[in-house]
């Protein structure tokens, strides 16, 4: 479903810039800028805002109705937390690594929490997400964000951060849940290594695309003026879904009932 949403969105966006802004978010890749003058653009990473269709609704309710919903409730200050993002990240072979980033600026208190759910086993060559533990809070977090901001080319900071990072090698159905202030990035999505499979047939069966379904909830005490525009031009949710102002509590209830 998600890959079809991407493909349909690409067709619509090819003829309508406004549609592109509603259907896709920026992926914070070095190629964002490089591709601006590339015709036709070779795109290998997408952030797809998902329509509130039955299959998406069912997935959100399944997440909210289980242990992840409990975690969101604890982390976001209760059931009044608002659904703030509902989307999927896709990368394919050849995708450049993302820029190391946080989803919101560094603040003394949390703003959003996000769960990435793997829709297939993620292998090391598929650019799994790399997280920098401790970079979201307190003095350590403040220093990490400051060092990143002062390192224009990201080189020194990235080398230091990589030595203390965690790579999310998720199996299908696994999830990573994280604070939006945490520094992280998607890695380079490489072709399948020749020795990764025992046969050419098996290699052909491996998924080419890496797909992460994700949702975010806004903390109940987050700044009232926090809007999609504050999140680096992203805020991955369809306008019509955002307007529903869905709350964690009602999604948890429906998910548990289902």
């Amino acid at each position: 479903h998600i890959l079809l949403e991407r493909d349909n969105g690409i067709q619509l966006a090819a003829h309508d810039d406004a549609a592109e802004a509603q259907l896709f978010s920026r992926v914070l890749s070095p190629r964002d800028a490089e591709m601006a003058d590339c015709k036709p653009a070779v795109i290998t990473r997408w952030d797809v805002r998902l329509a509130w269709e039955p299959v998406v609704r069912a997935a959100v309710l399944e997440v909210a109705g289980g242990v992840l919903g409990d975690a969101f409730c604890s982390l976001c200050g209760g059931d009044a937390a608002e659904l703030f993002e509902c989307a999927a990240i896709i990368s394919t072979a050849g995708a450049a690594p993302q820029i190391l980033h946080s989803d919101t600026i560094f603040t003394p208190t949390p703003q959003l929490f996000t769960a990435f759910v793997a829709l297939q086993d993620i292998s090391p060559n598929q650019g799994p997400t790399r997280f920098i533990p401790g970079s979201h809070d307190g003095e350590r977090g403040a220093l990490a964000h400051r060092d990143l901001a002062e390192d224009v080319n990201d080189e020194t900071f990235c080398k230091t951060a990589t030595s203390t990072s965690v790579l999310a090698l998720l199996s299908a159905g696994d999830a990573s849940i994280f604070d939006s202030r945490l520094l992280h990035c998607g890695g380079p999505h490489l072709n399948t290594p020749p020795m990764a499979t025992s046969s050419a047939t098996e290699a052909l069966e491996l998924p080419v695309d890496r797909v992460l379904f994700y949702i975010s909830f806004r903390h109940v005490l987050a700044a009232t003026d926090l809007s999609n525009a504050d999140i680096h031009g992203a805020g991955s949710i369809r306008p019509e879904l955002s307007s529903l102002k869905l709350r964690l509590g009602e999604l948890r209830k429906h998910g548990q009932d289902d």
Side-chain angles (χ1 to χ4, degrees):
H1 174 80
I2 287 174
L3 295 178
L4 184 59
E5 284 279 280
R6 175 199 61 184
D7 295 343
N8 290 340
I10 289 172
Q11 291 184 11
L12 288 172
H15 306 288
D16 186 346
D17 291 341
E20 181 177 12
Q22 291 192 357
L23 301 177
F24 296 97
S25 299
R26 289 183 56 204
V27 293
L28 295 177
S29 166
R31 294 190 180 184
D32 278 356
E34 294 171 9
M35 286 182 177
D37 299 323
C38 180
K39 303 293 183 181
V42 180
I43 301 175
T44 51
R45 193 184 291 274
W46 302 263
D47 189 328
V48 184
R49 302 177 182 186
L50 299 174
W52 194 238
E53 297 181 359
V55 64
V56 175
R57 179 181 181 275
V60 171
L61 293 183
E62 183 175 353
V63 171
V67 294
L68 281 177
D70 296 339
F72 273 124
C73 184
S74 176
L75 293 168
C76 294
D79 282 334
E82 179 186 339
L83 179 68
F84 200 71
E85 295 185 295
C86 180
I89 294 174
I90 306 169
S91 67
T92 195
Q98 283 186 303
I99 300 166
L100 190 65
H101 65 282
S102 59
D103 291 338
T104 56
I105 62 173
F106 185 78
T107 53
T109 56
Q111 303 294 307
L112 303 173
F113 286 89
T114 299
F116 284 167
V117 181
L119 300 189
Q120 78 289 305
D121 295 346
I122 297 176
S123 61
N125 69 287
Q126 290 181 307
T129 308
R130 186 176 295 278
F131 296 100
I132 313 299
S135 61
H136 69 293
D137 193 21
E139 183 178 357
R140 180 180 176 185
L143 290 174
H145 282 255
R146 186 202 65 189
D147 290 347
L148 178 60
E150 292 178 352
D151 187 359
V152 178
N153 296 318
D154 293 349
E155 295 178 357
T156 303
F157 181 84
C158 287
K159 289 177 182 178
T160 303
T162 300
S163 65
T164 58
S165 65
V166 175
L167 200 60
L169 292 172
L170 306 178
S171 298
D174 286 350
S176 299
I177 187 166
F178 62 97
D179 188 306
S180 62
R181 300 168 296 169
L182 189 74
L183 295 172
H184 61 284
C185 61
H189 191 135
L190 309 175
N191 291 317
T192 303
M195 299 303 294
T197 59
S198 58
S199 68
T201 301
E202 186 179 347
L204 290 173
E205 294 174 350
L206 291 174
V208 174
D209 296 314
R210 175 183 69 107
V211 184
L212 294 172
F213 168 66
Y214 73 96
I215 57 175
S216 300
F217 286 91
R218 180 168 62 179
H219 194 282
V220 296
L221 299 179
T224 56
D225 61 348
L226 180 67
S227 65
N228 290 350
D230 291 324
I231 309 179
H232 304 302
S236 295
I237 190 168
R238 293 279 189 100
E240 63 272 19
L241 177 53
S242 178
S243 68
L244 297 178
K245 303 294 183 184
L246 296 175
R247 304 293 174 173
L248 176 60
E250 60 185 294
L251 295 173
R252 292 178 73 201
K253 182 180 183 302
H254 287 304
Q256 292 163 358
D257 291 344
D258 290 354

